[in-house]
Amino acid sequence: MASPPPGQQTEQPHLVSLVLQSKKALQHGEQLCSKANSLSNASAQCSLDVLTLDAKVKWITEAVLEQLKLAANVAKSIEYKRAQLDKQVKAWDVVRSKRTEALDNILESLGAQLVPPGFHQSSSGSSLFGSQHSIDGKNGNVLFNAQQSPSATVRDNPFDRHGKNADRTKWKTLRDFVDESAIENVLDTLESDRTRLDDIMASTYDYPETLSAAISSIRESLPSSSNVPSIEDILNAQQQPSELMARHLSSLTSHYEQMADALKESEAGEIFGEEDLQDMNRDTEELPSIMAELEEQVLSIEDTHQQLVTAQTTAQERLTTQSSTLDNLDELGEIMSDMLQKQQDVENDCQELLDGLQGRLLIVEDLHHRFIQYQTSFKKLLVEIGRRRQYKEAVEKVVEGMILELRAMTEEERQVREDFNAEHGRHIPEDICLCIENPPTRWDVVPREGDVRESLPEVESDLLAQAKEKLAVVDVSSAGTESV
């Protein structure tokens, strides 16, 4: 075998070294490009996962916000219903204040109305309310027993006009004949039911605030606006390094093929010039810089991929948080259902109580009207007693005058008869007209059989004048009301 020329013997080992370097660079470049390709594919899948997770988070957030709006409406509804109930209760309180104030005023007025002793001292245990059973079990109204009233004592009992008590500080008033305990029972029951109404309403007092706090807590737990990086920007950022690496890999492949071909040609006996060898050396010397750039681009792709991984992790965490939020929302839904049911029960109970309270106000109003009528009737009783006394005195005067006239006529008749008998009696036989000796009949005016002389209590003039004055005011007021 012929031995190669001396120049070729030194050239071939150098070419083998260059080929090995090119091959090693190509293999490393392929590894880096493969890694970059895997990262790009993983980034694409990761981008899809990020978008999917973010979409789920947004959808759940929007759904939760819609449910929170409904919950806020429920809170407003409960607050509105409470406000309406409060309005009803306040309106009732206003009416109650007016009715009880009116009742207090008439009771004070009754306490200022003196009752002359003659109207009650002659009747044992007399009372305007009889045995003091003031409240009728059926209709809850104060009952007046006429047989036990001062007017009954006027009708049924005699009076000593000269035994009147001049010390008015010891006189009774109309209020002394009122069953105060029965009135207190009515007012105490009214206040007890009103307190009970407050207790029932207080059971749901904090519902709107509690719901609002729960809604705010859930709303605050929702993720803020999405911080997902721009997927398009990240993928675009990976595209440029990938393209550059592809070009570098293509260059490495071409370089390796060239070096391999050169080695084959050298083995076939071709001799390369100095310039060709320099070009080969220069190209091979550029391999480290190319590899460094490939590694740099891989790191760039890894960085962008890591951004996507971080975004995916964040999105997953937000989705996991949403699961807890949904549990809280379900719990809030159950709480709202219970609150609505409780609020409805409270409304029903309050309405029932208000109806009962309204009925008790009617009792208070009826007491007020009856006491007004009681006072008015007593004033008219005083006036009536005054009128009857005038009638009695007028009749007694007529009877007294009649008695005096009858007595005078009888005396005159007796004298005439005596004169007649003295002058003519001795001339008339005794057996003729026996009645001629009779005196005139003496007459007297007395009550009918079974009747007794009427006895009336004493009503002093100032009391009678006050009664007439107040009755005149009442009559004018009533006339004005009727005209309206």
Side-chain angles (χ1 to χ4, degrees), residues 226-459:
S226 178
N227 294 324
V228 175
S230 174
I231 302 299
E232 182 179 1
D233 291 344
I234 292 177
L235 295 179
N236 289 337
Q238 287 185 350
Q239 185 66 28
Q240 184 177 357
S242 297
E243 292 176 354
L244 181 57
M245 289 183 72
R247 290 195 297 270
H248 283 321
L249 182 60
S250 178
S251 297
L252 290 174
T253 302
S254 298
H255 177 68
Y256 172 70
E257 290 176 350
Q258 291 174 1
M259 295 307 297
D261 291 342
L263 181 58
K264 289 179 182 179
E265 291 175 358
S266 175
E267 289 175 348
E270 184 177 351
I271 298 175
F272 296 98
E274 187 65 25
E275 185 177 352
D276 292 333
L277 292 175
Q278 288 180 356
D279 290 340
M280 292 180 188
N281 287 328
R282 185 179 62 251
D283 291 341
T284 303
E285 290 173 355
E286 291 180 356
L287 290 178
S289 64
I290 293 175
M291 297 310 297
E293 191 168 353
L294 283 174
E295 291 177 352
E296 182 181 350
Q297 299 307 316
V298 169
L299 290 176
S300 175
I301 293 174
E302 281 182 338
D303 289 341
T304 53
H305 176 69
Q306 188 59 42
Q307 292 180 27
L308 290 174
V309 171
T310 302
Q312 181 182 10
T313 302
T314 303
Q316 185 63 53
E317 291 175 351
R318 292 170 61 184
L319 185 61
T320 302
T321 303
Q322 293 290 61
S323 177
S324 175
T325 300
L326 290 176
D327 292 339
N328 293 336
L329 189 63
D330 290 339
E331 184 179 356
L332 178 61
E334 295 176 359
I335 293 174
M336 284 193 302
S337 297
D338 294 341
M339 284 184 173
L340 286 173
Q341 183 60 49
K342 178 65 175 178
Q343 180 64 30
Q344 186 61 50
D345 293 341
V346 166
E347 289 179 19
N348 294 337
D349 292 343
C350 287
Q351 193 59 55
E352 182 179 351
L353 265 179
L354 279 173
D355 292 340
L357 287 170
Q358 193 63 34
R360 296 193 182 281
L361 278 188
L362 292 178
I363 295 177
V364 174
E365 184 180 19
D366 183 69
L367 284 173
H368 174 253
H369 291 324
R370 285 177 176 265
F371 287 149
I372 288 179
Q373 188 60 47
Y374 163 42
Q375 185 181 52
T376 302
S377 296
F378 182 76
K379 288 184 176 65
K380 291 186 177 181
L381 172 64
L382 294 178
V383 174
E384 176 65 13
I385 293 299
R387 186 197 64 79
R388 292 189 184 188
R389 178 169 296 282
Q390 290 180 350
Y391 163 78
K392 176 177 177 292
E393 291 174 352
V395 169
E396 287 178 347
K397 185 176 181 180
V398 170
V399 170
E400 191 175 318
M402 185 179 296
I403 290 174
L404 292 175
E405 185 176 356
L406 287 174
R407 287 177 180 175
M409 291 176 64
T410 300
E411 181 61 27
E412 182 181 355
E413 177 65 15
R414 185 188 63 77
Q415 188 62 46
V416 170
R417 291 187 183 190
E418 287 181 355
D419 291 344
F420 176 82
N421 289 332
E423 182 178 355
H424 303 288
R426 62 178 179 273
H427 303 295
I428 300 174
E430 292 182 355
D431 56 352
I432 294 177
C433 191
L434 298 178
C435 66
I436 194 66
E437 296 289 338
N438 293 340
T441 302
R442 289 177 297 177
W443 293 91
D444 197 3
V445 180
V446 296
R448 282 185 64 177
E449 184 178 356
D451 287 354
V452 294
R453 289 191 65 177
E454 185 175 29
S455 180
L456 298 174
E458 182 73 18
V459 180

Side-chain angles (χ1 to χ4, degrees), residues 21 83 100 103 156 175 195 423 448 453:
Q21 292 183 38
T100 54
L103 181 61
D156 300 337
R175 187 164 183 171
T195 302
E423 182 178 355
R448 282 185 64 177
R453 289 191 65 177

Side-chain angles (χ1 to χ4, degrees), residues 126-144:
S126 65
S127 168
L128 293 179
F129 298 101
S131 60
Q132 300 289 309
H133 297 301
S134 304
I135 304 299
D136 182 16
K138 295 182 180 180
N139 55 25
N141 293 330
V142 173
L143 299 178
F144 290 87

